[in-house]
């Protein structure tokens, strides 16, 4: 069975601060995929990134960056120079690359960015 | 232009009623899903269909019955609604089933179901 832990329930920052959202996972599968989704106050779930367990390169997309470390089973997400529009619940998720697998979500981290 | 759409967006109903939620995707994907998000925001898979065939059926009361008339549609019918069914229900789709490498899931806007 898979498990995804997002230990930070809620984070509050002031605009322009950098913030890192932690994600730690457990799986017995040797190959798997990791995801981050954003759920803004409007409620929809927005796909942000998908990462293959074979690819440990960090990824940067604008103000967003992701740090995947297999040695610590972590897939952390950093927002640089946060903005009010970044306020949302962020979910980390994992799916093993075997059979008809299901996506296991963490419980989410609520990020509140104040002006 | 919408990739994954759901109707209705809000559904308020009385206990004991039967209701349906519809989902459509125009991404040409083969796989569709239903998720339930509870009041604590926890997301849990309920069902998954691949090419109109049920492939995942988590521990869900049999009052919930999904139906996939074609690859682009996945509906959720709920019988004898209970207070505990109140939640946000999300439909999602992916090119292929989970675990196949083509499994990035794109979600619909959600349907907020309130059972009174």
């Amino acid at each position: 069975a898979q498990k995804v832990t997002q230990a930070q329930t809620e984070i509050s920052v002031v605009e322009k601060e950098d913030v890192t959202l932690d994600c730690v996972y457990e799986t017995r599968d040797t190959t798997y995929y990791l995801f981050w989704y954003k759920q803004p106050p409007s409620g929809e779930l927005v796909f942000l990134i998908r990462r293959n367990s074979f690819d440990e390169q960090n990824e940067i997309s604008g103000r967003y960056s992701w740090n995947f470390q297999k040695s610590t089973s972590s897939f952390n997400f950093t927002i640089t120079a946060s903005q009010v529009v970044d306020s949302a619940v962020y979910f980390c998720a994992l799916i093993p690359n075997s059979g008809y697998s299901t996506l296991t979500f963490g419980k989410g981290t609520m990020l509140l960015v104040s002006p | 232009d919408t990739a994954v759409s759901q109707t209705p967006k809000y559904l308020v109903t009385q206990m004991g009623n039967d209701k349906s939620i519809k989902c459509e995707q125009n991404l040409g994907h083969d796989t569709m899903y239903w998720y339930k998000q509870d009041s604590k925001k926890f997301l849990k898979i309920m069902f998954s269909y691949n090419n109109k065939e049920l492939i995942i059926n988590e521990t869900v009361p049999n009052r919930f019955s999904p139906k996939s008339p074609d690859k682009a549609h996945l509906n959720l019918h709920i019988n004898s609604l209970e207070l505990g069914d109140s939640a946000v229900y999300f439909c999602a789709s992916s090119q292929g089933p989970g675990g196949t490498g083509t499994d990035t899931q794109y979600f619909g806007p959600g349907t907020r179901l309130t059972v009174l």
Side-chain angles (χ1 to χ4, degrees), chain A residues 70-98:
Chain A
K70 221 167 173 177
S71 59
T72 55
S73 298
S74 65
F75 186 42
N76 296 337
F77 173 29
T78 297
I79 302 174
T80 303
S82 59
Q83 299 176 3
V84 172
V85 292
D86 295 327
S87 296
V89 180
Y90 290 87
F91 292 96
C92 181
L94 176 148
I95 194 165
N97 189 25
S98 60

Short mmCIF file of all heavy atoms in Angstrom, two decimals, chain A residues 70-98:
data_model
loop_
_atom_site.label_atom_id
_atom_site.label_comp_id
_atom_site.label_asym_id
_atom_site.label_seq_id
_atom_site.Cartn_x
_atom_site.Cartn_y
_atom_site.Cartn_z
N LYS A 70 14.95 10.70 -3.79
CA LYS A 70 14.56 9.31 -3.56
C LYS A 70 15.13 8.79 -2.23
O LYS A 70 14.50 7.98 -1.55
CB LYS A 70 15.08 8.46 -4.71
CG LYS A 70 14.11 7.42 -5.18
CD LYS A 70 14.59 6.85 -6.50
CE LYS A 70 13.72 5.69 -6.90
NZ LYS A 70 14.10 5.15 -8.21
N SER A 71 16.31 9.26 -1.86
CA SER A 71 16.98 8.77 -0.65
C SER A 71 16.17 9.06 0.61
O SER A 71 16.23 8.32 1.59
CB SER A 71 18.38 9.38 -0.53
OG SER A 71 18.29 10.79 -0.47
N THR A 72 15.42 10.15 0.56
CA THR A 72 14.61 10.51 1.72
C THR A 72 13.12 10.36 1.43
O THR A 72 12.28 10.76 2.24
CB THR A 72 14.89 11.95 2.15
OG1 THR A 72 14.68 12.83 1.03
CG2 THR A 72 16.31 12.11 2.68
N SER A 73 12.80 9.79 0.26
CA SER A 73 11.39 9.61 -0.15
C SER A 73 10.61 10.91 -0.01
O SER A 73 9.54 10.96 0.60
CB SER A 73 10.71 8.51 0.68
OG SER A 73 11.34 7.29 0.48
N SER A 74 11.18 11.95 -0.58
CA SER A 74 10.51 13.25 -0.47
C SER A 74 10.39 13.91 -1.83
O SER A 74 11.22 13.70 -2.73
CB SER A 74 11.28 14.17 0.50
OG SER A 74 12.56 14.47 -0.03
N PHE A 75 9.36 14.69 -1.97
CA PHE A 75 9.08 15.41 -3.22
C PHE A 75 8.52 16.76 -2.81
O PHE A 75 7.31 16.99 -2.81
CB PHE A 75 8.10 14.62 -4.07
CG PHE A 75 7.85 15.19 -5.44
CD1 PHE A 75 8.88 15.70 -6.22
CD2 PHE A 75 6.55 15.20 -5.98
CE1 PHE A 75 8.65 16.22 -7.48
CE2 PHE A 75 6.32 15.71 -7.25
CZ PHE A 75 7.36 16.21 -7.99
N ASN A 76 9.43 17.67 -2.47
CA ASN A 76 9.02 18.96 -1.91
C ASN A 76 8.80 20.01 -2.98
O ASN A 76 9.43 19.98 -4.04
CB ASN A 76 10.06 19.45 -0.91
CG ASN A 76 10.17 18.53 0.29
OD1 ASN A 76 9.24 17.77 0.61
ND2 ASN A 76 11.32 18.55 0.95
N PHE A 77 7.94 20.93 -2.68
CA PHE A 77 7.49 21.95 -3.63
C PHE A 77 7.78 23.32 -3.04
O PHE A 77 7.35 23.61 -1.92
CB PHE A 77 5.99 21.73 -3.86
CG PHE A 77 5.28 22.77 -4.68
CD1 PHE A 77 5.92 23.48 -5.67
CD2 PHE A 77 3.93 22.99 -4.48
CE1 PHE A 77 5.24 24.42 -6.44
CE2 PHE A 77 3.24 23.92 -5.25
CZ PHE A 77 3.89 24.64 -6.23
N THR A 78 8.51 24.14 -3.78
CA THR A 78 8.86 25.48 -3.31
C THR A 78 8.25 26.53 -4.21
O THR A 78 8.33 26.43 -5.45
CB THR A 78 10.38 25.68 -3.25
OG1 THR A 78 10.93 24.76 -2.30
CG2 THR A 78 10.74 27.10 -2.84
N ILE A 79 7.62 27.51 -3.60
CA ILE A 79 7.12 28.68 -4.33
C ILE A 79 8.02 29.85 -3.95
O ILE A 79 8.15 30.18 -2.76
CB ILE A 79 5.65 28.99 -3.98
CG1 ILE A 79 4.77 27.78 -4.29
CG2 ILE A 79 5.18 30.22 -4.75
CD1 ILE A 79 3.32 27.95 -3.85
N THR A 80 8.60 30.44 -4.95
CA THR A 80 9.49 31.59 -4.72
C THR A 80 8.68 32.87 -4.89
O THR A 80 7.84 32.97 -5.78
CB THR A 80 10.64 31.56 -5.75
OG1 THR A 80 11.32 30.31 -5.64
CG2 THR A 80 11.62 32.69 -5.50
N ALA A 81 8.95 33.83 -4.02
CA ALA A 81 8.27 35.13 -4.10
C ALA A 81 6.76 34.93 -4.18
O ALA A 81 6.12 35.30 -5.18
CB ALA A 81 8.79 35.94 -5.29
N SER A 82 6.21 34.34 -3.15
CA SER A 82 4.79 33.97 -3.16
C SER A 82 3.89 35.18 -3.42
O SER A 82 4.24 36.33 -3.13
CB SER A 82 4.42 33.33 -1.82
OG SER A 82 4.68 34.22 -0.76
N GLN A 83 2.73 34.86 -4.01
CA GLN A 83 1.73 35.88 -4.31
C GLN A 83 0.40 35.46 -3.71
O GLN A 83 0.17 34.27 -3.45
CB GLN A 83 1.60 36.04 -5.83
CG GLN A 83 2.88 36.47 -6.52
CD GLN A 83 2.73 36.51 -8.04
OE1 GLN A 83 1.66 36.26 -8.59
NE2 GLN A 83 3.82 36.83 -8.72
N VAL A 84 -0.48 36.42 -3.55
CA VAL A 84 -1.79 36.14 -2.97
C VAL A 84 -2.52 35.05 -3.77
O VAL A 84 -3.21 34.19 -3.22
CB VAL A 84 -2.64 37.42 -2.88
CG1 VAL A 84 -4.07 37.10 -2.47
CG2 VAL A 84 -2.01 38.40 -1.90
N VAL A 85 -2.33 35.05 -5.08
CA VAL A 85 -3.00 34.05 -5.93
C VAL A 85 -2.49 32.63 -5.70
O VAL A 85 -3.09 31.67 -6.17
CB VAL A 85 -2.86 34.39 -7.44
CG1 VAL A 85 -3.62 35.63 -7.77
CG2 VAL A 85 -1.40 34.49 -7.85
N ASP A 86 -1.40 32.51 -4.96
CA ASP A 86 -0.89 31.17 -4.64
C ASP A 86 -1.67 30.55 -3.48
O ASP A 86 -1.50 29.37 -3.18
CB ASP A 86 0.59 31.23 -4.26
CG ASP A 86 1.48 31.66 -5.40
OD1 ASP A 86 1.15 31.33 -6.58
OD2 ASP A 86 2.49 32.34 -5.16
N SER A 87 -2.50 31.32 -2.83
CA SER A 87 -3.29 30.80 -1.72
C SER A 87 -4.19 29.67 -2.22
O SER A 87 -5.01 29.86 -3.13
CB SER A 87 -4.16 31.90 -1.10
OG SER A 87 -3.35 32.92 -0.53
N ALA A 88 -4.01 28.50 -1.62
CA ALA A 88 -4.73 27.31 -2.09
C ALA A 88 -4.37 26.15 -1.17
O ALA A 88 -3.50 26.27 -0.31
CB ALA A 88 -4.32 26.97 -3.53
N VAL A 89 -5.05 25.03 -1.41
CA VAL A 89 -4.63 23.78 -0.78
C VAL A 89 -3.82 23.03 -1.83
O VAL A 89 -4.25 22.91 -2.99
CB VAL A 89 -5.83 22.94 -0.33
CG1 VAL A 89 -5.35 21.63 0.32
CG2 VAL A 89 -6.69 23.72 0.66
N TYR A 90 -2.67 22.55 -1.43
CA TYR A 90 -1.79 21.84 -2.35
C TYR A 90 -1.71 20.37 -1.93
O TYR A 90 -1.47 20.05 -0.77
CB TYR A 90 -0.39 22.46 -2.35
CG TYR A 90 -0.37 23.84 -2.99
CD1 TYR A 90 -0.66 24.97 -2.24
CD2 TYR A 90 -0.10 23.98 -4.34
CE1 TYR A 90 -0.66 26.23 -2.82
CE2 TYR A 90 -0.10 25.23 -4.94
CZ TYR A 90 -0.38 26.36 -4.16
OH TYR A 90 -0.39 27.60 -4.75
N PHE A 91 -1.93 19.50 -2.92
CA PHE A 91 -1.92 18.07 -2.66
C PHE A 91 -0.74 17.42 -3.37
O PHE A 91 -0.50 17.67 -4.56
CB PHE A 91 -3.21 17.43 -3.18
CG PHE A 91 -4.44 17.82 -2.43
CD1 PHE A 91 -5.24 18.85 -2.89
CD2 PHE A 91 -4.80 17.15 -1.27
CE1 PHE A 91 -6.38 19.23 -2.21
CE2 PHE A 91 -5.94 17.51 -0.58
CZ PHE A 91 -6.73 18.56 -1.05
N CYS A 92 -0.08 16.55 -2.64
CA CYS A 92 0.94 15.68 -3.20
C CYS A 92 0.29 14.31 -3.38
O CYS A 92 -0.58 13.92 -2.59
CB CYS A 92 2.12 15.60 -2.24
SG CYS A 92 3.50 14.59 -2.79
N ALA A 93 0.66 13.59 -4.44
CA ALA A 93 0.03 12.30 -4.70
C ALA A 93 1.03 11.35 -5.34
O ALA A 93 2.02 11.78 -5.95
CB ALA A 93 -1.19 12.46 -5.59
N LEU A 94 0.74 10.06 -5.22
CA LEU A 94 1.64 9.03 -5.76
C LEU A 94 0.82 7.94 -6.44
O LEU A 94 -0.28 7.60 -5.98
CB LEU A 94 2.46 8.42 -4.62
CG LEU A 94 3.41 7.27 -4.93
CD1 LEU A 94 4.62 7.31 -4.02
CD2 LEU A 94 2.72 5.91 -4.80
N ILE A 95 1.36 7.41 -7.52
CA ILE A 95 0.75 6.24 -8.15
C ILE A 95 1.86 5.30 -8.56
O ILE A 95 2.84 5.71 -9.17
CB ILE A 95 -0.14 6.65 -9.35
CG1 ILE A 95 -1.02 5.50 -9.79
CG2 ILE A 95 0.69 7.15 -10.50
CD1 ILE A 95 -2.16 5.93 -10.71
N PRO A 96 1.75 4.02 -8.17
CA PRO A 96 2.79 3.07 -8.57
C PRO A 96 2.62 2.70 -10.04
O PRO A 96 1.51 2.73 -10.58
CB PRO A 96 2.54 1.87 -7.66
CG PRO A 96 1.14 1.99 -7.22
CD PRO A 96 0.73 3.41 -7.30
N ASN A 97 3.72 2.33 -10.65
CA ASN A 97 3.68 1.96 -12.05
C ASN A 97 3.48 0.45 -12.17
O ASN A 97 4.37 -0.28 -12.60
CB ASN A 97 5.00 2.39 -12.73
CG ASN A 97 4.93 2.22 -14.22
OD1 ASN A 97 3.86 2.24 -14.80
ND2 ASN A 97 6.08 2.05 -14.85
N SER A 98 2.33 0.00 -11.75
CA SER A 98 2.05 -1.44 -11.80
C SER A 98 0.55 -1.67 -11.87
O SER A 98 -0.22 -1.15 -11.06
CB SER A 98 2.62 -2.13 -10.57
OG SER A 98 2.05 -1.60 -9.39
#
